[in-house]
Amino acid sequence: FIAMVLMVTAATALAETEVVSFSDGRERLTLSAELYKPAGDGPHPAVVMLHGCTGVEPYLKEWAETLQSWGYAALLVDSLGPRKVAETCSNPFQVSPAARQLDAYGGYLWLAEQAWVDKENIGLVGWSHGGWTALKAVSRNGMWRYTERMNGKTFKVAATIYPSCKTSSFFITPLLILIGEADTLTTAKDCRDMIDRRADTSTTPELVTYPGAYHGYDIPGVSSDLAGHKLAYDKAATDGTTQQLKAFLARELAVAP
């Protein structure tokens, strides 16, 4: 019985979160985020998480707990609440990728100030609109170049899950792109075309696609549409994404798989 209590307590402790606040990269907006911190004093590698156009959803909290269980401090940033915006699906530029890059950099800078964070190993993971933002955040012309507090740096690595790939093709950090072949909202073809356009001196993104998988394939139970584009859960694609993301982050952020 005591052992069971200890196991339940440990599991509960793992899933606990703390809400933290910090300024965006240019100190113009106060943001909030849920922090999922691993056990121990660290220093821990860390990941800033960027949500899609509907904001912070339960499935992203599950992802944060997964990252935490792998040994990363996960910072799930809310880009909509502080701006009093309900969603950006109907207008992706209502909170633009440029603004959200500054949100991501604010999270980066806050993490880098924490004694329990490995400052040399901070990555970025984004979903959909947040993935589009993440691509821009680690591109040659990302907002890090024009954000004094970043001191000429950006994230060490980035991973994107069904992002829009209609963006710059010159990347300066290791990059993983995970997307469904059946996605019509953000297409795998756009990602292949983006990679084909890249300059010889650009980091080559690692692209993994999932046959038959639609947008939102990692959202448990989803079966709907968004602006006429199908959303559907796909367990095989979700399991594949979990494996790919774990291996990529372990390789690039120095945590054993």
Side-chain angles (χ1 to χ4, degrees):
F1 175 77
I2 293 175
M4 289 180 63
V5 171
L6 289 174
M7 289 174 64
V8 171
T9 301
T12 302
L14 182 64
E16 286 182 352
T17 66
E18 175 186 355
V19 176
V20 300
S21 297
F22 50 85
S23 297
D24 73 358
R26 292 184 178 171
E27 299 184 305
R28 296 176 178 176
L29 178 69
T30 298
L31 298 160
S32 64
E34 294 181 12
L35 172 66
Y36 295 71
K37 182 181 174 185
D41 296 332
H44 305 289
V47 174
V48 172
M49 301 171 64
L50 297 179
H51 58 70
C53 68
T54 56
V56 176
E57 298 278 5
Y59 80 98
L60 293 174
K61 299 184 182 190
E62 293 178 9
W63 271 115
E65 291 175 1
T66 296
L67 289 164
Q68 180 191 47
S69 74
W70 293 345
Y72 303 95
L75 189 67
L76 178 53
V77 180
D78 180 2
S79 290
L80 301 188
R83 295 179 170 91
K84 303 187 185 308
V85 172
E87 50 84 19
T88 58
C89 306
S90 53
N91 178 5
F93 290 96
Q94 185 174 4
V95 181
S96 70
R100 296 197 67 196
Q101 286 178 69
L102 297 178
D103 296 356
Y105 299 147
Y108 173 101
L109 292 164
W110 184 85
L111 286 167
E113 292 174 350
Q114 310 309 310
W116 43 267
V117 170
D118 181 351
K119 299 168 181 57
E120 300 304 316
N121 283 294
I122 302 177
L124 178 63
V125 182
W127 284 257
S128 194
H129 191 287
W132 183 31
T133 299
L135 292 177
K136 293 177 178 293
V138 296
S139 71
R140 178 176 60 180
N141 292 319
M143 294 295 291
W144 59 272
R145 291 177 61 92
Y146 316 104
T147 305
E148 184 177 352
R149 295 175 65 213
M150 291 299 289
N151 291 320
K153 293 183 178 180
T154 187
F155 292 89
K156 185 177 181 182
V157 301
T160 62
I161 300 172
Y162 41 84
S164 169
C165 287
K166 293 181 177 180
T167 186
S168 164
S169 56
F170 196 114
F171 302 103
I172 59 173
T173 64
L175 174 63
L176 174 66
I177 302 171
L178 304 161
I179 195 166
E181 284 287 356
D183 194 330
T184 59
L185 180 61
T186 57
T187 70
K189 180 182 183 301
D190 285 341
C191 295
R192 283 190 286 268
D193 290 346
M194 178 188 70
I195 292 171
D196 288 343
R197 291 196 309 270
R198 69 176 183 82
D200 290 340
T201 52
S202 169
T203 297
T204 303
E206 181 180 346
L207 174 64
V208 179
T209 66
Y210 298 102
Y214 293 91
H215 202 80
Y217 63 71
D218 61 334
I219 306 175
V222 72
S223 180
S224 59
D225 74 78
L226 177 63
H229 301 276
K230 184 174 179 178
L231 306 180
Y233 177 67
D234 188 306
K235 185 178 186 304
T238 299
D239 290 347
T241 292
T242 302
Q243 295 167 6
Q244 290 287 339
L245 184 61
K246 184 176 184 180
F248 175 76
L249 293 177
R251 183 175 72 244
E252 302 295 346
L253 291 183
V255 168

